[in-house]
Amino acid sequence: MLPDAAASRLREREARAALRRAARERARVERDEVRRFTRRTRHRRAIWWTAGGIVAAFAVAVSLAVFSPLLALREIRITGTERIPQEQLHAVLDEQLGTPLALVDLDAVERELAEFPLIRNYVTEVVPPDTLVVRLQERQPIALVQGDGGFDLVDPAGVVVQTTPERPPGVPLLTLPDGDLDSAGFDWMVEVLLALPPEVLAQVDSISAPSRDSVTLDLAGSEQRVLWGSATDSDRKAAVLARLIPLHAGAGAGEYDVSAERTAVFRPD
């Protein structure tokens, strides 16, 4: 009996050992299957973690570089000024000096420059490591309006660019009742002046527009005038006038009539 009992216990131990080996083998197979099915996911996850690390490192490097005092604004360079003293512009813009380039307040720059009516438009450019460039375009006068204080040079928008006590040469004088720069007459005369080629504009002494259809120009240095008519079709009229003036400039007093659509003549007085 004893040998049989010992043999039975031995068989039980071997059976339990076989079960444990089978369980371990099954667990191994399951782990292999899980790895096989999740290999692509784990690979993507590793790529994302790597890419995220690179981006984070790059962001930190950029932040350290951009916000570093080494990249602080140290120079403001202004171009395009003729009438506006640069000292006045620097007086309001130089408050930005010492600011990291990434933190320069361009909205504040816009507010400060808006206080200068002679600035027509501008662009800014940040030039590393330490410069802000401001490129201005000033308003350019196209005509004169006589007032109590002298002569106002005005641009096409009616903005007074400069006031002088004496009449400057080479700029047409607007015959404008009460000096009203918001009137329709101002708009008609400016439309005509903008259409003239430079060589003709330089010969205009004064211009008037008592009504929409009766714009008239007086030429400088002569007793000649131009009956323009309405401000419509000004480009064609300007081209015709540019051809007529050389033909009759020495003919004495008279009138160039370009008001009609299909005809243009010079009538001696």
Side-chain angles (χ1 to χ4, degrees):
M1 295 297 293
L2 289 177
D4 291 339
S8 177
R9 287 194 295 275
L10 178 60
R11 288 194 295 270
E12 288 178 1
R13 285 197 297 272
E14 289 177 348
R16 288 195 294 270
L19 289 174
R20 288 195 293 271
R21 286 195 298 271
R24 288 195 296 272
E25 181 64 20
R26 185 168 59 252
R28 184 187 64 78
V29 171
E30 289 177 353
R31 287 195 298 272
D32 290 344
E33 288 295 311
V34 170
R35 291 194 186 98
R36 184 168 66 86
F37 284 111
T38 61
R39 183 180 299 115
R40 190 170 298 174
T41 301
R42 288 185 287 105
H43 182 66
R44 286 199 300 266
R45 187 179 301 159
I47 292 176
W48 280 110
W49 276 106
T50 302
I54 293 174
V55 170
F58 179 76
V60 170
V62 169
S63 298
L64 291 175
V66 170
F67 296 103
S68 169
L70 297 176
L71 291 179
L73 180 62
R74 303 186 187 281
E75 179 185 4
I76 298 178
R77 191 182 309 153
I78 303 171
T79 65
T81 56
E82 295 180 7
R83 292 181 171 83
I84 307 174
Q86 289 215 0
E87 294 78 9
Q88 295 181 11
L89 295 169
H90 280 290
V92 298
L93 296 181
D94 284 357
E95 296 177 359
Q96 300 282 342
L97 293 176
T99 305
L101 287 185
L103 299 180
V104 171
D105 191 347
L106 296 181
D107 290 336
V109 171
E110 180 178 359
R111 289 193 299 271
E112 297 293 355
L113 294 182
E115 298 299 320
F116 293 84
L118 293 189
I119 296 178
R120 182 181 179 185
N121 54 54
Y122 72 93
V123 294
T124 59
E125 180 184 2
V126 175
V127 181
D130 58 7
T131 302
L132 174 68
V133 179
V134 182
R135 295 185 176 88
L136 303 175
Q137 185 177 15
E138 293 183 342
R139 296 182 182 275
Q140 297 300 319
I142 192 173
L144 291 168
V145 176
Q146 189 170 8
D148 295 335
F151 295 87
D152 294 331
L153 287 89
V154 297
D155 80 336
V159 176
V160 177
V161 174
Q162 185 179 349
T163 300
T164 63
E166 303 293 334
R167 178 178 176 178
V171 184
L173 177 67
L174 302 182
T175 304
L176 197 61
D178 302 323
D180 186 4
L181 298 177
D182 294 323
S183 66
F186 175 82
D187 295 335
W188 300 333
M189 288 185 282
V190 167
E191 185 175 347
V192 171
L193 293 177
L194 290 175
L196 295 175
E199 64 274 14
V200 176
L201 180 61
Q203 300 181 57
V204 178
D205 178 71
S206 63
I207 179 171
S208 62
S211 69
R212 180 181 182 86
D213 297 323
S214 58
V215 179
T216 303
L217 297 80
D218 292 317
L219 301 184
S222 72
E223 296 182 38
Q224 295 183 343
R225 61 193 177 278
V226 180
L227 178 58
W228 193 271
S230 73
T232 59
D233 202 18
S234 288
D235 290 338
R236 179 194 63 81
K237 294 175 182 179
V240 171
L241 183 61
R243 293 194 296 268
L244 279 178
I245 289 179
L247 297 176
H248 304 284
E255 180 180 78
Y256 299 93
D257 187 348
V258 295
S259 61
E261 182 176 353
R262 297 184 180 277
T263 61
V265 297
F266 175 76
R267 301 187 188 94
D269 286 346

